[in-house]
Amino acid sequence: MDCAYFDAGRCLSCSLMGETYPSQVAAKQAKAEQLLAPFGVGTWHPPVASGERDYRNKAKMVVGGTVDAPTIGILDADGHGVDLQACGICSPGHRAAFGPIARFITLARLTPYDVPRRTGELKHLIVTESPDGELMVRFVLRSTEPVARIRKHLPTLLAELPNTRVVSVNVLPEHKAVLEGEHEIVLTEAQTLSMRLNDVTMHLRPQSFFQTNTAIAAALYAEARDWITDLAPASAWDLYSGVGGFALHLAGDDPDAGPAVTGIETSVEAVASAELSRTDAALHRVRFEAGDATRFALDAPAAEAPDLVVVNPPRRGIGAELSAWLEASDIRHVLYSSCNATSLAKDLGAMPSYRPVRARVFDMFPQTPHFEVMTLLERRAEV
């Protein structure tokens, strides 16, 4: 993939830009195999490659420049806006939306936030595109002062971008390096974006996490379902369940059959999304709760431990406490999906009773060193 921004030194976020894509995938596979080699992986399935470009379903852009000439992209070392509206890893739907949104910023007089001077209102723009081409557009503001103007002019934006389903304002008053704040104001009648993967429809609320690469996420969930089907667990926990991707795929298409699945997630917004998806699919044997994954496991009575545990933690991994709990449990299988193979290896080292019987790399983040790796762990037979 070629990128004029990278070649000009304007954006270096995609650190592998210029390397051939097959060599990127091969290097990621080699790294995963090296890190997991001490644990004796039974079968390495071939890596799942992505499209080289246009793969992101969420564009997280900093707004800079001026109200009459806003930039949508990143900031340079001096805090000035660098426009990246033609970014090649964003989806075509994103690129088509950036122009109308830039014009809307001018129309609604949304002054870009000036980081060095700590003045202005509009900090970030977060645009998510569904597999059906619908958009969720979120404006991250320093305060609620511009909300009335956004409401007033919103019909103009919706007329120019008729595929926009959800528009919201996120309020981030603090001057700190985070993407969004806690307070969200939804301005449209629709409050969720439908994300249809395989035969499962998930409902994404503004503050809910969703995998960045739709095609690879679909492959990941489908593979998880295939691996689990042969195990036929009667019950499963999906820890770090997010909007329910793994849990809803493991539930199967019969609402009264399949494993009893419990999803645990700290984000209340994500749990609300997952519950809506469960209700729409009438899955009576699936439930979601808001809570800490480790605390949930440690507090559960031993008699309620499931046949299978699914974990899809953040980059830090599941940590010492949950690893120790799994190691001491009688749970036979663990499905571990990791976005950081280094922390995965550390967690596996704390669970010597489990052996990875199969593993696969999913290239969720082309042009970067990051990737997803999923492994199925099986408790070793007692000698």
Side-chain angles (χ1 to χ4, degrees):
M1 173 182 167
D2 295 321
C3 176
Y5 298 132
F6 185 87
D7 293 343
R10 297 182 67 192
C11 175
L12 303 177
S13 300
C14 295
S15 59
L16 300 185
M17 192 70 68
E19 289 190 27
T20 65
Y21 186 59
S23 67
Q24 291 183 32
V25 176
K28 294 177 184 185
Q29 178 69 27
K31 181 176 181 179
E33 289 187 11
Q34 176 191 13
L35 287 169
L36 271 59
F39 310 106
V41 177
T43 299
W44 274 104
H45 298 272
V48 179
S50 169
E52 297 183 41
R53 55 176 296 129
D54 303 335
Y55 69 83
R56 289 193 67 94
N57 56 40
K58 178 186 282 188
K60 300 176 285 188
M61 312 295 264
V62 181
V63 180
T66 67
V67 69
D68 290 310
T71 61
I72 297 176
I74 59 175
L75 299 180
D76 64 17
D78 297 320
H80 300 134
V82 177
D83 196 77
L84 302 176
Q85 291 188 41
C87 175
I89 65 170
C90 290
S91 74
H94 291 143
R95 295 195 292 272
F98 290 149
I101 293 173
R103 291 190 289 274
F104 179 78
I105 290 170
T106 301
L107 175 66
R109 310 310 291 172
L110 305 179
T111 306
Y113 185 67
D114 188 312
V115 173
R117 293 182 174 84
R118 303 192 181 191
T119 60
E121 283 290 340
L122 180 57
K123 294 183 173 182
H124 304 129
L125 176 68
I126 306 173
V127 183
T128 303
E129 183 179 23
S130 78
D132 297 319
E134 294 185 324
L135 298 178
M136 177 188 292
V137 179
R138 302 172 62 206
F139 297 95
V140 181
L141 304 174
R142 186 174 67 162
S143 75
T144 58
E145 184 275 328
V147 172
R149 297 196 301 278
I150 295 176
R151 288 187 188 274
K152 175 184 176 180
H153 296 289
L154 187 55
T156 301
L157 179 63
L158 297 179
E160 196 164 358
L161 287 175
N163 57 328
T164 300
R165 179 170 176 80
V166 182
V167 177
S168 70
V169 162
N170 179 274
V171 184
L172 176 61
E174 298 87 1
H175 179 85
K176 58 183 181 181
V178 296
L179 183 64
E180 60 189 72
E182 296 181 0
H183 183 46
E184 196 88 19
I185 305 169
V186 179
L187 304 178
T188 48
E189 181 179 356
Q191 302 213 359
T192 64
L193 186 68
S194 295
M195 304 294 287
R196 181 177 47 80
L197 273 66
N198 304 314
D199 56 352
V200 173
T201 298
M202 287 166 277
H203 297 277
L204 188 64
R205 295 172 70 88
Q207 291 183 296
S208 300
F209 168 79
F210 195 80
Q211 297 282 10
T212 299
N213 188 322
T214 302
I216 296 299
L220 179 74
Y221 295 143
E223 187 87 345
R225 175 189 281 172
D226 288 346
W227 288 4
I228 297 306
T229 297
D230 292 340
L231 304 179
S235 58
W237 290 349
D238 179 8
L239 306 182
Y240 313 93
S241 57
V243 296
F246 283 102
L248 295 167
H249 277 80
L250 298 185
D253 53 11
D254 186 339
D256 298 308
V261 182
T262 299
I264 303 298
E265 167 61 42
T266 57
S267 168
V268 174
E269 287 291 301
V271 170
S273 297
E275 272 292 299
L276 179 57
S277 303
R278 179 198 66 78
T279 302
D280 278 2
L283 295 172
H284 309 307
R285 291 172 59 78
V286 179
R287 66 186 182 95
F288 295 95
E289 294 182 12
D292 177 76
T294 299
R295 193 75 265 152
F296 175 82
L298 268 59
D299 290 347
E304 295 181 10
D307 299 325
L308 166 75
V309 169
V310 178
V311 291
N312 181 211
R315 290 190 59 79
R316 65 178 179 272
I318 65 174
E321 275 193 295
L322 186 52
S323 295
W325 182 86
L326 286 166
E327 173 66 15
S329 75
D330 293 326
I331 294 167
R332 182 162 177 77
H333 291 101
V334 176
L335 183 75
Y336 195 137
S337 185
S338 170
C339 61
N340 182 357
T342 299
S343 61
L344 168 61
K346 182 178 179 180
D347 290 337
L348 292 182
M351 298 186 290
S353 294
Y354 288 99
R355 174 176 175 258
V357 293
R358 52 173 59 180
R360 192 166 204 175
V361 167
F362 295 80
D363 191 17
M364 194 77 72
F365 312 99
Q367 315 306 333
T368 80
H370 305 296
F371 58 91
E372 192 89 6
V373 58
M374 185 169 69
T375 182
L376 179 62
L377 310 179
E378 183 175 86
R379 188 169 290 279
R380 300 176 190 271
E382 294 185 8
V383 181

